[in-house]
Amino acid sequence: MICVETQHFNLTRIILLAIGLWPNEKSKFRKFQAILCFGVLISFVIFQLTALTIAKCTADYIKIFSSATFFSIAIFSYNMFWINGHHLKNILQQLQYFYNELKDENEVAIFKKYGHYFRQCTIIFILLGICWMFIITLLPIWPQIFGSVFYINESQLQSQTIQIMTEYFIDQEKYFYLILLHTNAAFCIGVTTWLGMGTMIIGWFIHICGMLTITSYRVEQIMTTKMSKNINLKNQIMIYNKKIFYAVEIHYKIMKFCKNTSSNIKYSHFLLLICTVSSFSLNLFGIFRNASLGDNEAILFHLLCSFALFLYLFVANYIGQEIINHNNHVYFTAYNSQWYNASLHAQKMILFILLRSSKACNLNVGIFVGSLECFASLIKTSVSYFTVMYSTEE
């Protein structure tokens, strides 16, 4: 007996607790923590947008919006989890219910295997997030380190280190380190929000893939189980019908769970995708524009942002493709089974699985359906917007 929340989602729980978003923690401290983190993100985007008042050219506007849209993704993600906290709690309870309903040792092993896959994915994304934050937070300090060696002027250093245009309506040279602290805090909270949101959603759908695999296993076991000669035909039919009923039941519950999970995040995730595509195009433009100017720090900054956005789009669509593939496997398993050897009643129940698995079981986000084809379309759209901006600049 395992607890899905504490064993499979333990690392995600720690991440979300750090920013006050874990749905099972509703203390006053957690609420204060959530308000503080959300306030840091909101205020940082506001101070970026106020820089529009001092922007002098189109390139400055693009630079401002490239970073503002990037942080807006974290704001949408934070807001989505904050508002839908009760839905997140229900989803975790539903996964625990699925596990408690498993009786076969092989089915329990399949569930644990997919839970192990999820933990491995979480560890990989945490390491990537730590490396990303380490590079970003040290990026403004590198010129300071080299400046102490080569005796570069302090004002020259500060002009080199600010990669994000902001306007605080104060003396930015005097309060440079406070502004840097605000920037790094926003980066850390934003990346932590991305990690928490991403790993939680990945965990849901990896477990859905595991349950679909269990459905395929149950369908395979229906017709491959050999009956004893001592069992009469009536009892044999009852055993077949019982096994088929369990397969039909779990597949129905999974389809309903996947639909409800997608509907809870559909509109919020749709806004995230729009913001991600826009930010990806703007950061691609930032890479090529700063490459022509020879600004290596700015190139690295936009390159890291573009990599994070590309990875987000790929992982979100890849997990959607995996759900489609697992659902198709249920269909082919039922279709290729020896259904013709079963009773007429059993054949009708197998037909339920064929009909349901022939329907879409996917990650539906507004007009987008998570798949590798959708990923290619989004990247193509982002590159098209970048091409238009770059040609206009030229």
Side-chain angles (χ1 to χ4, degrees):
M1 186 69 180
I2 64 171
C3 178
V4 174
E5 178 182 326
T6 58
Q7 295 189 31
H8 292 184
F9 286 86
N10 186 43
L11 295 175
T12 302
R13 176 177 174 273
I14 294 172
I15 294 171
L16 292 177
L17 279 175
I19 52 177
L21 285 182
W22 185 246
N24 293 336
E25 292 286 339
K26 293 298 181 182
S27 63
K28 292 183 179 179
F29 174 75
R30 295 301 175 194
K31 291 181 180 179
F32 170 77
Q33 191 180 15
I35 294 172
L36 179 63
C37 292
F38 191 68
V40 170
L41 290 174
I42 285 286
S43 61
F44 190 63
V45 171
I46 291 174
F47 288 130
Q48 289 179 72
L49 295 178
T50 54
L52 293 171
T53 59
I54 60 171
K56 298 179 181 179
C57 60
T58 305
D60 287 339
Y61 285 102
I62 293 176
K63 183 177 181 180
I64 293 168
F65 282 114
S66 65
S67 58
T69 52
F70 183 81
F71 283 95
S72 297
I73 297 171
I75 291 175
F76 285 133
S77 302
Y78 203 100
N79 188 58
M80 179 178 70
F81 268 58
W82 198 351
I83 293 175
N84 297 313
H86 59 288
H87 292 305
L88 309 185
K89 186 176 180 179
N90 291 336
I91 289 171
L92 290 173
Q93 292 174 348
Q94 194 71 16
L95 289 176
Q96 184 66 51
Y97 170 76
F98 282 142
Y99 173 76
N100 294 338
E101 289 291 305
L102 301 179
K103 305 299 181 183
D104 189 286
E105 292 183 359
N106 292 326
E107 293 177 358
V108 173
I110 292 172
F111 192 90
K112 289 181 178 180
K113 182 178 72 172
Y114 277 83
H116 180 66
Y117 290 160
F118 168 56
R119 285 183 61 84
Q120 288 180 327
C121 291
T122 304
I123 292 171
I124 291 172
F125 287 126
I126 288 175
L127 292 176
L128 286 174
I130 291 173
C131 292
W132 196 91
M133 282 193 293
F134 182 77
I135 296 173
I136 286 291
T137 53
L138 287 184
L139 186 61
I141 303 175
W142 291 347
Q144 301 277 14
I145 297 172
F146 290 116
S148 62
V149 176
F150 297 106
Y151 304 102
I152 301 176
N153 190 297
E154 179 73 15
S155 61
Q156 292 178 334
L157 286 172
Q158 294 182 4
S159 65
Q160 292 176 10
T161 57
I162 300 175
Q163 303 300 333
I164 299 177
M165 289 188 65
T166 54
E167 178 54 54
Y168 287 82
F169 302 105
I170 57 175
D171 187 347
Q172 298 208 20
E173 291 187 3
K174 182 179 180 180
Y175 297 99
F176 173 77
Y177 291 103
L178 286 177
I179 294 173
L180 184 62
L181 176 63
H182 186 212
T183 302
N184 288 338
F187 267 114
C188 292
I189 295 171
V191 173
T192 305
T193 303
W194 271 38
L195 285 174
M197 177 202 70
T199 55
M200 177 64 85
I201 294 176
I202 289 171
W204 298 341
F205 292 105
I206 283 181
H207 283 82
I208 289 176
C209 291
M211 299 306 294
L212 288 171
T213 302
I214 292 173
T215 304
S216 299
Y217 169 78
R218 288 187 177 182
V219 174
E220 289 174 352
Q221 293 301 306
I222 292 170
M223 307 309 301
T224 57
T225 303
K226 294 184 179 180
M227 297 299 174
S228 173
K229 294 180 179 180
N230 298 326
I231 300 178
N232 58 40
L233 181 61
K234 184 178 179 180
N235 291 336
Q236 183 173 333
I237 291 174
M238 289 179 62
I239 294 173
Y240 273 133
N241 291 345
K242 187 176 181 181
K243 288 180 176 289
I244 294 172
F245 173 76
Y246 285 149
V248 172
E249 181 187 34
I250 191 173
H251 190 248
Y252 168 76
K253 289 179 179 178
I254 293 167
M255 296 286 284
K256 185 178 179 181
F257 175 72
C258 187
K259 182 179 179 180
N260 292 338
T261 304
S262 298
S263 63
N264 290 333
I265 63 172
K266 179 167 63 176
Y267 299 109
S268 299
H269 215 78
F270 179 70
L271 293 175
L272 283 178
L273 280 180
I274 294 176
C275 203
T276 302
V277 170
S278 303
S279 184
F280 188 56
S281 302
L282 291 166
N283 279 284
L284 284 177
F285 177 81
I287 293 172
F288 283 86
R289 181 177 180 275
N290 287 287
S292 62
L293 298 176
D295 191 345
N296 295 327
E297 288 80 11
I299 293 172
L300 181 58
F301 171 77
H302 288 293
L303 191 63
L304 289 170
C305 292
S306 299
F307 172 75
L309 296 167
F310 181 88
L311 185 63
Y312 164 71
L313 289 174
F314 175 75
V315 171
N317 285 282
Y318 179 78
I319 194 65
Q321 183 67 52
E322 282 297 305
I323 293 175
I324 295 173
N325 294 342
H326 279 73
N327 187 56
N328 291 339
H329 186 260
V330 173
Y331 175 83
F332 291 122
T333 302
Y335 183 80
N336 294 325
S337 65
Q338 298 177 1
W339 53 268
Y340 44 83
N341 290 333
S343 64
L344 181 61
H345 180 69
Q347 291 179 19
K348 290 180 180 179
M349 295 186 73
I350 292 177
L351 184 61
F352 277 116
I353 297 179
L354 290 172
L355 290 174
R356 285 204 186 99
S357 55
S358 63
K359 297 179 181 179
C361 178
N362 49 44
L363 178 55
N364 190 346
V365 182
I367 61 175
F368 301 103
V369 176
S371 64
L372 293 180
E373 182 180 357
C374 178
F375 168 71
S377 300
L378 292 173
I379 294 298
K380 182 179 178 181
T381 302
S382 300
V383 174
S384 299
Y385 292 155
F386 153 70
T387 304
V388 171
M389 287 186 290
Y390 192 73
S391 60
T392 304
E393 179 71 12
E394 290 293 328

PDB file of all heavy atoms in Angstrom, residues 135-148:
ATOM      1  N   ILE A 135      22.607  29.974 -13.675  1.00  0.00           N
ATOM      2  CA  ILE A 135      23.209  30.758 -14.755  1.00  0.00           C
ATOM      3  C   ILE A 135      22.598  32.153 -14.818  1.00  0.00           C
ATOM      4  O   ILE A 135      23.300  33.163 -14.949  1.00  0.00           O
ATOM      5  CB  ILE A 135      23.052  30.030 -16.107  1.00  0.00           C
ATOM      6  CG1 ILE A 135      23.826  28.711 -16.088  1.00  0.00           C
ATOM      7  CG2 ILE A 135      23.549  30.901 -17.256  1.00  0.00           C
ATOM      8  CD1 ILE A 135      23.601  27.839 -17.301  1.00  0.00           C
ATOM      9  N   ILE A 136      21.258  32.223 -14.725  1.00  0.00           N
ATOM     10  CA  ILE A 136      20.568  33.508 -14.833  1.00  0.00           C
ATOM     11  C   ILE A 136      20.937  34.448 -13.688  1.00  0.00           C
ATOM     12  O   ILE A 136      21.198  35.640 -13.894  1.00  0.00           O
ATOM     13  CB  ILE A 136      19.043  33.301 -14.881  1.00  0.00           C
ATOM     14  CG1 ILE A 136      18.607  32.753 -16.243  1.00  0.00           C
ATOM     15  CG2 ILE A 136      18.296  34.594 -14.593  1.00  0.00           C
ATOM     16  CD1 ILE A 136      18.755  33.733 -17.386  1.00  0.00           C
ATOM     17  N   THR A 137      20.963  33.918 -12.459  1.00  0.00           N
ATOM     18  CA  THR A 137      21.269  34.776 -11.310  1.00  0.00           C
ATOM     19  C   THR A 137      22.725  35.214 -11.286  1.00  0.00           C
ATOM     20  O   THR A 137      23.051  36.292 -10.775  1.00  0.00           O
ATOM     21  CB  THR A 137      20.938  34.055  -9.984  1.00  0.00           C
ATOM     22  OG1 THR A 137      21.589  32.770  -9.964  1.00  0.00           O
ATOM     23  CG2 THR A 137      19.442  33.871  -9.836  1.00  0.00           C
ATOM     24  N   LEU A 138      23.617  34.382 -11.848  1.00  0.00           N
ATOM     25  CA  LEU A 138      25.034  34.761 -11.899  1.00  0.00           C
ATOM     26  C   LEU A 138      25.378  35.619 -13.111  1.00  0.00           C
ATOM     27  O   LEU A 138      26.441  36.231 -13.147  1.00  0.00           O
ATOM     28  CB  LEU A 138      25.916  33.508 -11.904  1.00  0.00           C
ATOM     29  CG  LEU A 138      26.041  32.732 -10.588  1.00  0.00           C
ATOM     30  CD1 LEU A 138      27.032  31.591 -10.749  1.00  0.00           C
ATOM     31  CD2 LEU A 138      26.489  33.651  -9.453  1.00  0.00           C
ATOM     32  N   LEU A 139      24.469  35.649 -14.084  1.00  0.00           N
ATOM     33  CA  LEU A 139      24.744  36.408 -15.308  1.00  0.00           C
ATOM     34  C   LEU A 139      25.068  37.876 -15.032  1.00  0.00           C
ATOM     35  O   LEU A 139      26.034  38.412 -15.605  1.00  0.00           O
ATOM     36  CB  LEU A 139      23.544  36.279 -16.260  1.00  0.00           C
ATOM     37  CG  LEU A 139      23.710  36.891 -17.658  1.00  0.00           C
ATOM     38  CD1 LEU A 139      24.852  36.218 -18.406  1.00  0.00           C
ATOM     39  CD2 LEU A 139      22.411  36.763 -18.454  1.00  0.00           C
ATOM     40  N   PRO A 140      24.315  38.573 -14.169  1.00  0.00           N
ATOM     41  CA  PRO A 140      24.676  39.965 -13.893  1.00  0.00           C
ATOM     42  C   PRO A 140      25.953  40.116 -13.062  1.00  0.00           C
ATOM     43  O   PRO A 140      26.527  41.200 -13.016  1.00  0.00           O
ATOM     44  CB  PRO A 140      23.468  40.491 -13.101  1.00  0.00           C
ATOM     45  CG  PRO A 140      22.372  39.518 -13.345  1.00  0.00           C
ATOM     46  CD  PRO A 140      23.053  38.204 -13.518  1.00  0.00           C
ATOM     47  N   ILE A 141      26.393  39.050 -12.388  1.00  0.00           N
ATOM     48  CA  ILE A 141      27.554  39.144 -11.502  1.00  0.00           C
ATOM     49  C   ILE A 141      28.863  38.913 -12.257  1.00  0.00           C
ATOM     50  O   ILE A 141      29.923  39.358 -11.824  1.00  0.00           O
ATOM     51  CB  ILE A 141      27.428  38.137 -10.339  1.00  0.00           C
ATOM     52  CG1 ILE A 141      26.123  38.387  -9.582  1.00  0.00           C
ATOM     53  CG2 ILE A 141      28.590  38.230  -9.373  1.00  0.00           C
ATOM     54  CD1 ILE A 141      25.843  37.385  -8.487  1.00  0.00           C
ATOM     55  N   TRP A 142      28.765  38.218 -13.399  1.00  0.00           N
ATOM     56  CA  TRP A 142      29.995  37.942 -14.152  1.00  0.00           C
ATOM     57  C   TRP A 142      30.781  39.204 -14.502  1.00  0.00           C
ATOM     58  O   TRP A 142      31.993  39.252 -14.290  1.00  0.00           O
ATOM     59  CB  TRP A 142      29.663  37.161 -15.423  1.00  0.00           C
ATOM     60  CG  TRP A 142      29.203  35.759 -15.144  1.00  0.00           C
ATOM     61  CD1 TRP A 142      29.293  35.079 -13.963  1.00  0.00           C
ATOM     62  CD2 TRP A 142      28.574  34.864 -16.054  1.00  0.00           C
ATOM     63  NE1 TRP A 142      28.760  33.822 -14.082  1.00  0.00           N
ATOM     64  CE2 TRP A 142      28.314  33.653 -15.357  1.00  0.00           C
ATOM     65  CE3 TRP A 142      28.204  34.953 -17.388  1.00  0.00           C
ATOM     66  CZ2 TRP A 142      27.703  32.565 -15.954  1.00  0.00           C
ATOM     67  CZ3 TRP A 142      27.593  33.865 -17.988  1.00  0.00           C
ATOM     68  CH2 TRP A 142      27.346  32.689 -17.273  1.00  0.00           C
ATOM     69  N   PRO A 143      30.120  40.247 -15.033  1.00  0.00           N
ATOM     70  CA  PRO A 143      30.887  41.473 -15.311  1.00  0.00           C
ATOM     71  C   PRO A 143      31.477  42.091 -14.042  1.00  0.00           C
ATOM     72  O   PRO A 143      32.546  42.700 -14.087  1.00  0.00           O
ATOM     73  CB  PRO A 143      29.843  42.404 -15.949  1.00  0.00           C
ATOM     74  CG  PRO A 143      28.803  41.486 -16.500  1.00  0.00           C
ATOM     75  CD  PRO A 143      28.746  40.354 -15.527  1.00  0.00           C
ATOM     76  N   GLN A 144      30.771  41.917 -12.909  1.00  0.00           N
ATOM     77  CA  GLN A 144      31.304  42.436 -11.650  1.00  0.00           C
ATOM     78  C   GLN A 144      32.594  41.716 -11.275  1.00  0.00           C
ATOM     79  O   GLN A 144      33.558  42.325 -10.805  1.00  0.00           O
ATOM     80  CB  GLN A 144      30.262  42.243 -10.522  1.00  0.00           C
ATOM     81  CG  GLN A 144      28.927  42.921 -10.781  1.00  0.00           C
ATOM     82  CD  GLN A 144      28.967  44.381 -10.390  1.00  0.00           C
ATOM     83  OE1 GLN A 144      30.049  44.932 -10.177  1.00  0.00           O
ATOM     84  NE2 GLN A 144      27.825  45.018 -10.318  1.00  0.00           N
ATOM     85  N   ILE A 145      32.614  40.404 -11.481  1.00  0.00           N
ATOM     86  CA  ILE A 145      33.810  39.610 -11.161  1.00  0.00           C
ATOM     87  C   ILE A 145      34.972  40.013 -12.059  1.00  0.00           C
ATOM     88  O   ILE A 145      36.096  40.261 -11.598  1.00  0.00           O
ATOM     89  CB  ILE A 145      33.511  38.108 -11.308  1.00  0.00           C
ATOM     90  CG1 ILE A 145      32.438  37.685 -10.293  1.00  0.00           C
ATOM     91  CG2 ILE A 145      34.779  37.285 -11.122  1.00  0.00           C
ATOM     92  CD1 ILE A 145      31.950  36.269 -10.482  1.00  0.00           C
ATOM     93  N   PHE A 146      34.666  40.116 -13.372  1.00  0.00           N
ATOM     94  CA  PHE A 146      35.728  40.503 -14.298  1.00  0.00           C
ATOM     95  C   PHE A 146      36.132  41.957 -14.109  1.00  0.00           C
ATOM     96  O   PHE A 146      37.283  42.332 -14.337  1.00  0.00           O
ATOM     97  CB  PHE A 146      35.287  40.270 -15.748  1.00  0.00           C
ATOM     98  CG  PHE A 146      35.186  38.829 -16.112  1.00  0.00           C
ATOM     99  CD1 PHE A 146      33.955  38.276 -16.467  1.00  0.00           C
ATOM    100  CD2 PHE A 146      36.296  38.003 -16.085  1.00  0.00           C
ATOM    101  CE1 PHE A 146      33.854  36.949 -16.795  1.00  0.00           C
ATOM    102  CE2 PHE A 146      36.198  36.658 -16.417  1.00  0.00           C
ATOM    103  CZ  PHE A 146      34.965  36.129 -16.777  1.00  0.00           C
ATOM    104  N   GLY A 147      35.148  42.773 -13.650  1.00  0.00           N
ATOM    105  CA  GLY A 147      35.455  44.173 -13.432  1.00  0.00           C
ATOM    106  C   GLY A 147      36.428  44.379 -12.291  1.00  0.00           C
ATOM    107  O   GLY A 147      37.281  45.273 -12.327  1.00  0.00           O
ATOM    108  N   SER A 148      36.332  43.554 -11.252  1.00  0.00           N
ATOM    109  CA  SER A 148      37.254  43.658 -10.126  1.00  0.00           C
ATOM    110  C   SER A 148      38.662  43.256 -10.527  1.00  0.00           C
ATOM    111  O   SER A 148      39.638  43.687  -9.923  1.00  0.00           O
ATOM    112  CB  SER A 148      36.768  42.780  -8.973  1.00  0.00           C
ATOM    113  OG  SER A 148      36.746  41.415  -9.363  1.00  0.00           O
TER     114      SER A 148
END
